[in-house]
């Protein structure tokens, strides 16, 4: 009875959550945050994740587009229309944060984000809108087609020039005029 009575006088080790809150350690690993404006779409976080819960999609920018730089001065060359983290799968290991070259992926102190619906734990950090994504895709498609056409024309011109040179070296065969080489 004496021991029981003494225990009643001790300070409790539990707290009355949620009325009381524990102090979260400074380096605690809780929900991730991605500062999307600093993401260069390198995919190193995806490679590092042991449970494959990060999904990103990138679109190359064309030479006439300037996507600007990150806050630490790195040039951005890729659009990142999708940056998804499935927090239902995440094991909060923090391995994705270490290789990030721009330090835009960080673990925060936020631990209260439970949901009733599983899909609500799938976060997309991308800030691109659907029209912006469509425009970036269309621009890249057009640029790729133009580059392919220029390459094909250059190959055809080189082949014609070679043929003309061979004919010039063989008397009796009428020379072939090579097609003009497109401007780059
Ligand atoms: S904390 Fe770990 S499990 Fe979660 S996204 Fe990063 S690497 Fe993947
Ligand atoms: S490692 Fe960093 S910069 Fe690279 S894709 Fe992931 S969040 Fe973006």
């Amino acid at each position: 009875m004496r021991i029981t009575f003494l225990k009643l006088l001790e300070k409790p080790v539990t707290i009355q959550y949620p009325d009381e809150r524990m102090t979260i350690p400074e380096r605690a690993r809780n929900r991730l945050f991605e500062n999307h404006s600093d993401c260069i779409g390198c995919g190193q976080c995806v490679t590092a994740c042991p449970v494959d819960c990060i999904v990103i999609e990138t679109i190359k920018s064309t030479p006439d587009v300037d996507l600007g730089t990150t806050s630490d001065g790195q040039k951005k060359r890729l659009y990142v229309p999708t940056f998804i983290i499935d927090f239902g799968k995440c094991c909060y290991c923090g391995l994705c944060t270490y290789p990030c070259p721009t330090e835009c992926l960080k673990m925060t102190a936020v631990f209260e984000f439970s949901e009733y619906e599983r899909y609500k734990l799938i976060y997309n950090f991308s800030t691109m809108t659907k029209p912006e994504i469509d425009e970036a895709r269309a621009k890249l498609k057009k640029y790729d087609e133009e580059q392919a056409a220029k390459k094909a024309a250059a190959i055809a011109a080189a082949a014609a020039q070679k043929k003309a040179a061979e004919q010039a070296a063989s008397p009796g065969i009428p020379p072939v005029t090579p097609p003009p080489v497109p401007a780059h």
Side-chain angles (χ1 to χ4, degrees):
M1 280 305 290
R2 180 175 162 273
I3 290 170
T4 305
F5 183 72
L6 287 175
K7 287 285 172 194
L8 284 173
L9 297 177
E10 279 181 11
K11 196 169 175 247
V13 292
T14 52
I15 58 167
Q16 296 298 312
Y17 177 85
D19 300 323
E20 287 177 65
R21 303 289 168 111
M22 281 173 62
T23 307
I24 303 294
E26 197 183 321
R27 298 188 66 188
R29 298 196 306 258
N30 294 294
R31 192 176 69 189
L32 286 158
F33 172 71
E34 194 247 2
N35 179 7
H36 200 65
S37 61
D38 271 356
C39 180
I40 56 172
C42 66
Q44 293 196 52
C45 52
V46 179
T47 308
C49 180
V51 294
D52 296 334
C53 66
I54 306 179
V55 176
I56 73 169
E57 182 198 352
T58 55
I59 302 171
K60 269 198 296 183
S61 62
T62 50
D64 60 318
V65 175
D66 182 7
L67 292 178
T69 55
T70 60
S71 56
D72 63 354
Q74 297 195 45
K75 183 99 183 92
K76 294 204 277 184
R77 299 182 197 283
L78 298 172
Y79 296 97
V80 188
T82 305
F83 193 105
I84 287 173
I85 301 178
D86 185 345
F87 287 109
K89 288 186 190 169
C90 178
C91 61
Y92 307 93
C93 61
L95 291 175
C96 54
T97 60
Y98 297 110
C100 181
T102 62
E103 296 186 3
C104 67
L105 193 57
K106 290 188 184 302
M107 307 226 76
T108 67
V110 179
F111 64 91
E112 295 162 303
F113 55 101
S114 57
E115 297 285 356
Y116 286 105
E117 312 287 347
R118 175 74 183 74
Y119 73 91
K120 288 183 181 168
L121 289 170
I122 300 171
Y123 287 39
N124 189 355
F125 289 92
S126 176
T127 48
M128 285 185 78
T129 61
K130 173 102 174 51
E132 286 171 344
I133 296 168
D134 290 345
E135 189 188 335
R137 281 200 183 115
K139 207 164 184 179
L140 178 64
K141 186 166 179 265
K142 187 167 172 245
Y143 175 76
D144 284 347
E145 284 169 357
E146 284 170 1
Q147 292 304 306
K150 280 182 186 172
K151 195 174 169 189
I155 290 169
Q161 272 177 346
K162 190 179 170 200
K163 195 168 180 185
E166 286 169 1
Q167 284 175 337
S170 311
I173 302 172
V176 174
T177 307
V181 178
H184 291 280

